[in-house]
Amino acid sequence: MSPITTSRHGDVLVITSNNPPVNALGHAVRDGLVKGIEEANGDDSVKAVVIIGEGQTFFAGADISEFGTPKSFEYPALPQVVDIIENCTKPVVAAIHGTALGGGLEVALASHYRVAVPSAKLGVPEVKLGLLPGAGGTQRLPRVAGVGKALEMASTGNPIGAQEAYDVGLVDRLIEGDLLPHAVAFAEEVKDNRPLAKSSERDEKLAEARDNPGLFDEFRKANARKFRGFDAPEYNIRCIEAAVAKPYAEGVLAERQMFMELMSGTQAKAQQYFFFSERKAAKIDGVPEGTAPREIKKVGVIGAGTMGGGISMNFLSAGIPVTIVEMQQDALDRGTGIMLKNYQATAAKGRMTEAQVGQAMGLLTPTLKLEDLADCDLVIEAVFENMDVKKEIFGKLDGICKPGAILASNTSYLDIDEIAASTSRPQDVVGLHFFSPANVMKLLEVVRGAKTAPDVLVTAMQLAKKIKKVAVVAGVCYGFIGNRMLIPRQMEAMKLLLEGATPAQIDKVHVDFGMPMGPFQMSDLAGVDIGWHRDPNRIENIRDALCAVDRWGQKKGAGFYDYDEKRRPSPSPVVQNIIEDFRAKAGVTAREVSEQEIVERTLYTMVNEGALILEGGFAQRASDIDVVWVYGYGWPVYRGGPMFWADTEGLAKIVEGLERNGFEVAQLLRDKATAKEKLSKV
Ligand code: 3HC
């Protein structure tokens, strides 16, 4: 049965799409749309058309799962569909609720009018899939919404709300109340309007940009940092430039050509792989279907430091009350004060109102008594990394918390099973590893203990979505997924220093690769002293030597780099001397270290560790590891994540590189390389 049906409302033909869950524009939908327009064209009694989506949304875009298959090109392809809509002989009204995204917005742009409910969102997120709107979107959007707005929407992929869309002329009317009857009434109003309002023929908003040719380069310059390494934003900009410089017919050809170029590139494949990876991460193996989550109405957080404060803010922002516990009043005041300051900073940027700040802080109950957590449905411990302290806290929570409460630890390394064993209810214990700053970073590692109950896991995954995190399930091993893979990278980076590389040289390889920062920049930012034994007389490695002379990183103005008062780094002669001292003691003569060697020893080793994690069953699937690295550590999404990147680099090459450098290769990696299979498919 076709997902498209038509019905008559007076002299208006309503074309309804019902293709759950998001009305993606797969072949059957496109075919049905064309047939609907043909029906309108062929029936004199039809005076206007409304296109509307059933369920949660208008069309959320092309069907991404069709990409790379013949289906996506089969007649009618999306560029043909939108032209057929625009050339309909009767006025077509797109009635938008939910999201009109990508191809969905292109359908709306090809319609002669657009009406939307106030909660609707409109956007062209193709850039996030390494693409550009390939069905006339880059040509019609600037004509309808203006060049500046089109540039911003296409190159960032961020949608805008219906009100803003109305303000820029992308929506013709905002509909309060039932969408369909109002859209039909609107269609009645415009049914006699001629000539038909074709977006492709509009010119007035392009004229503005023709008077300001520097606009595009200014935009490139202003966003250079954000777009670094990505191909797609630049292609989107070029298409909009073409919209301004060329007639519509030529502009769409340029768009088509650039779309195909992007589509055949590695970045688009990586970003599309990542889109599905992110969604797959929410699926938990071995949990019975239909497992109901526990209800979380109130959360407790132990520790009001950086982590505890950040974690609490996630729940407060989602409208969930939080009781936060500290041992000393001044630490409690300091912690809650920082939370308020953070909220106020967000409000100052216009991203929340003062009233919302008040609302969020109003949901916070600070206390010095652990007993006040008795009525919480979930308690998250976020104190410092010490097993004895954590066990003591969990032992106490066992006596305080109500039955069925979930007891979580935010530990980044420690054994959740050992922590769980200090309670009489290990089934209720889980790891919830947030990444710093916890109110900003999207990743949440959900650490599944040996006895963690299925409904606890389901609750954690659902709650993650509610607080706008992407959750990945990890098994119990030292450092779980993310930090475990960091270990070989940091170890090799330190060894390379001794052998002749500099911090700046190693960091540059990582930044050029697309990481936000290299291993030493990261260490300086996080604190060189994290995990240090705190004995300045015990100097066993370069890190100990740095810590002993107070070079603890950015917070001290000195770490692997020197920092000026604006926190700008420069290479440090002191660090160079320390490194040379160590070389002398170890009898090592500095040698030239190549970029390739840095890649092999600090990135191939991460791939190897990822393969070991998979082999050990500590990650459910390779794509979960990629989600951890993209959202937790800023691995460039255009490289898909370490596992996907390994496949593009070539597994045989990685095995060879690891062997040449004397590493033991994970069996899984070796097997996949031999079988010429992909690691990212595991
Ligand atoms: N194609 C195929 N499947 C899609 C899809 C799409 N465009 N959009 C979403 N889905 C699937 C998801 O994979 C998921 O499947 P699952 O349940 O099997 O895991 C399901 O629909 C529900 O998606 P979400 O979990 O993401 O649901 P949310 O309600 O959280 O979000 C959404 C809905 C905002 C629409 C979000 O899914 C989204 O952003 N989708 C992608 C939109 C997009 O990128 N559109 C542009 C496509 S490219 C294009 O149009 C090219 C054209 O210019 C030629």
Side-chain angles (χ1 to χ4, degrees):
M1 213 175 76
S2 171
I4 299 285
T5 49
T6 55
S7 57
R8 284 295 289 268
H9 294 244
D11 47 15
V12 176
L13 182 78
V14 175
I15 303 178
T16 304
S17 173
N18 183 12
N19 186 28
V22 297
N23 270 318
L25 286 149
H27 180 261
V29 174
R30 301 195 305 267
D31 185 55
L33 276 175
V34 167
K35 292 203 169 105
I37 297 293
E38 282 166 355
E39 183 182 335
N41 281 335
D43 185 340
D44 283 347
S45 69
V46 172
K47 302 295 179 204
V49 179
V50 166
I51 300 178
I52 194 164
E54 220 156 74
Q56 69 178 48
T57 182
F58 192 71
F59 308 103
D63 186 339
I64 306 168
S65 62
E66 272 186 5
F67 285 176
T69 71
K71 271 253 175 294
S72 65
F73 299 108
E74 207 174 295
Y75 180 85
L78 206 51
Q80 294 161 321
V81 175
V82 292
D83 284 347
I84 289 167
I85 293 173
E86 197 179 61
N87 289 324
C88 179
T89 53
K90 328 278 165 82
V92 180
V93 179
I96 302 167
H97 77 295
T99 48
L101 296 179
L105 187 61
E106 290 174 304
V107 164
L109 282 163
S111 303
H112 306 111
Y113 300 94
R114 289 154 291 282
V115 299
V117 296
S119 59
K121 289 206 157 34
L122 296 85
V124 274
E126 283 87 341
V127 72
K128 295 187 180 175
L129 301 169
L131 295 173
L132 52 87
T138 64
Q139 306 303 299
R140 288 193 177 94
L141 187 60
R143 286 177 161 83
V144 177
V147 173
K149 190 45 68 183
L151 270 177
E152 184 192 308
M153 288 173 73
S155 65
T156 65
N158 296 332
I160 59 173
Q163 179 64 52
E164 188 180 353
Y166 176 76
D167 294 341
V168 299
L170 181 53
V171 162
D172 299 295
R173 183 174 295 172
L174 289 175
I175 305 275
E176 302 281 353
D178 276 356
L179 181 58
L180 179 61
H182 282 91
V184 169
F186 182 89
E188 288 282 358
E189 278 175 46
V190 299
K191 67 182 177 193
D192 298 323
N193 287 3
R194 294 295 184 281
L196 288 168
K198 295 188 180 180
S199 308
S200 66
E201 292 175 358
R202 286 175 61 174
D203 191 59
E204 73 282 6
K205 292 197 173 170
L206 301 183
E208 291 166 25
R210 286 193 195 111
D211 297 339
N212 180 13
L215 167 106
F216 293 99
D217 280 341
E218 276 164 33
F219 185 79
R220 284 186 175 96
K221 225 168 111 194
N223 291 285
R225 239 180 105 106
K226 205 188 304 171
F227 299 158
R228 183 176 72 92
F230 286 90
D231 292 338
E234 173 58 23
Y235 275 60
N236 274 276
I237 297 171
R238 279 189 213 158
C239 281
I240 296 172
E241 263 178 325
V244 174
K246 297 176 190 224
Y248 179 81
E250 286 177 37
V252 236
L253 286 181
E255 175 193 274
R256 188 97 297 253
Q257 192 196 336
M258 286 193 250
F259 180 83
M260 296 313 287
E261 251 179 69
L262 284 177
M263 188 62 122
S264 59
T266 310
Q267 291 203 355
K269 289 191 182 74
Q271 288 178 254
Q272 284 155 37
Y273 157 83
F274 193 76
F275 175 85
F276 289 113
S277 299
E278 184 180 335
R279 281 152 183 84
K280 228 188 283 169
K283 305 192 164 70
I284 321 165
D285 292 344
V287 165
E289 191 128 347
T291 302
R294 298 186 190 177
E295 206 176 2
I296 306 295
K297 288 210 232 128
K298 194 167 185 193
V299 172
V301 174
I302 307 173
T306 316
M307 276 323 274
I311 292 170
S312 303
M313 287 174 75
N314 289 307
F315 295 101
L316 298 176
S317 302
I320 303 172
V322 173
T323 301
I324 190 163
V325 190
E326 252 301 343
M327 294 195 356
Q328 305 291 339
Q329 189 66 45
D330 57 341
L332 189 61
D333 293 343
R334 203 169 39 245
T336 54
I338 291 172
M339 288 163 68
L340 177 61
K341 241 171 72 186
N342 284 342
Y343 273 130
Q344 282 168 340
T346 310
K349 287 183 203 140
R351 289 204 231 115
M352 69 195 288
T353 62
E354 280 303 330
Q356 285 168 324
V357 174
Q359 249 164 29
M361 288 305 288
L363 292 171
L364 183 69
T365 310
T367 176
L368 297 175
K369 287 191 287 202
L370 218 49
E371 291 70 23
D372 288 346
L373 299 175
D375 62 345
C376 289
D377 305 296
L378 161 70
V379 175
I380 305 171
E381 162 278 309
V383 304
F384 60 94
E385 287 285 83
N386 177 302
M387 182 55 97
D388 292 336
V389 174
K390 292 198 192 264
K391 278 161 85 169
E392 193 190 326
I393 289 178
F394 274 75
K396 283 187 184 155
L397 287 178
D398 195 17
I400 293 170
C401 293
K402 64 183 182 186
I406 297 176
L407 310 182
S409 172
N410 176 51
T411 178
S412 352
Y413 288 96
L414 301 177
D415 185 337
I416 293 292
D417 290 331
E418 195 178 335
I419 296 174
S422 61
T423 73
S424 64
R425 35 172 136 173
Q427 74 282 1
D428 296 337
V429 177
V430 69
L432 291 181
H433 179 210
F434 289 81
F435 287 68
S436 188
N439 51 322
V440 177
M441 297 295 284
K442 272 194 86 136
L443 180 67
L444 177 67
E445 275 182 333
V446 174
V447 188
R448 178 183 201 164
K451 297 192 175 152
T452 307
D455 64 344
V456 169
L457 290 170
V458 170
T459 311
M461 302 309 270
Q462 283 206 356
L463 200 58
K465 196 156 182 181
K466 195 159 184 190
I467 60 171
K468 300 197 170 72
K469 301 278 175 213
V470 175
V472 171
V473 176
V476 179
C477 60
Y478 190 70
F480 315 124
I481 297 174
N483 284 345
R484 175 168 163 177
M485 285 168 71
L486 209 52
I487 297 168
R489 183 183 97 161
Q490 297 300 105
M491 261 171 55
E492 285 309 306
M494 292 303 276
K495 282 192 200 155
L496 282 162
L497 284 190
L498 205 61
E499 291 170 40
T502 63
Q505 185 192 2
I506 296 170
D507 283 343
K508 183 173 182 305
V509 169
H510 283 250
V511 172
D512 289 350
F513 182 81
M515 301 294 293
M517 61 190 98
F520 298 105
Q521 291 161 325
M522 184 171 155
S523 184
D524 274 2
L525 180 69
V528 183
D529 61 314
I530 289 184
W532 177 46
H533 47 60
R534 315 260 141 197
D535 178 357
N537 297 315
R538 200 176 121 201
I539 297 179
E540 288 159 4
N541 53 42
I542 296 172
R543 203 270 299 257
D544 290 349
L546 256 60
C547 288
V549 293
D550 251 15
R551 299 190 69 96
W552 293 7
Q554 285 194 22
K555 59 188 168 191
K556 295 269 188 178
F560 284 96
Y561 296 90
D562 290 335
Y563 293 89
D564 65 15
E565 59 293 339
K566 286 193 171 149
R567 292 206 170 183
R568 278 179 306 218
S570 58
S572 164
V574 177
V575 172
Q576 200 49 36
N577 283 340
I578 291 175
I579 295 171
E580 276 163 22
D581 270 1
F582 267 90
R583 273 188 205 136
K585 271 188 234 147
V588 175
T589 312
R591 63 179 172 83
E592 199 67 42
V593 173
S594 72
E595 243 178 59
Q596 183 57 25
E597 183 175 350
I598 296 172
V599 168
E600 288 171 3
R601 290 178 55 183
T602 59
L603 292 172
Y604 285 12
T605 44
M606 286 177 59
V607 171
N608 200 36
E609 197 65 34
L612 288 171
I613 288 174
L614 278 173
E615 246 176 58
F618 302 112
Q620 301 189 98
R621 46 189 92 86
S623 58
D624 283 4
I625 296 179
D626 288 336
V627 172
V628 165
W629 268 84
V630 169
Y631 280 136
Y633 303 83
W635 184 282
V637 65
Y638 58 78
R639 294 190 196 272
M643 302 290 104
F644 185 90
W645 172 71
D647 289 329
T648 59
E649 182 81 348
L651 297 187
K653 186 175 165 196
I654 291 189
V655 169
E656 193 268 324
L658 286 168
E659 280 174 339
R660 189 159 19 80
N661 287 289
F663 294 105
E664 198 177 320
V665 178
Q667 193 57 44
L668 177 73
L669 179 54
R670 195 183 288 286
D671 291 349
K672 291 281 155 198
T674 311
K676 295 195 167 40
E677 286 174 2
K678 291 200 182 308
L679 196 54
S680 59
K681 292 258 162 71
V682 180

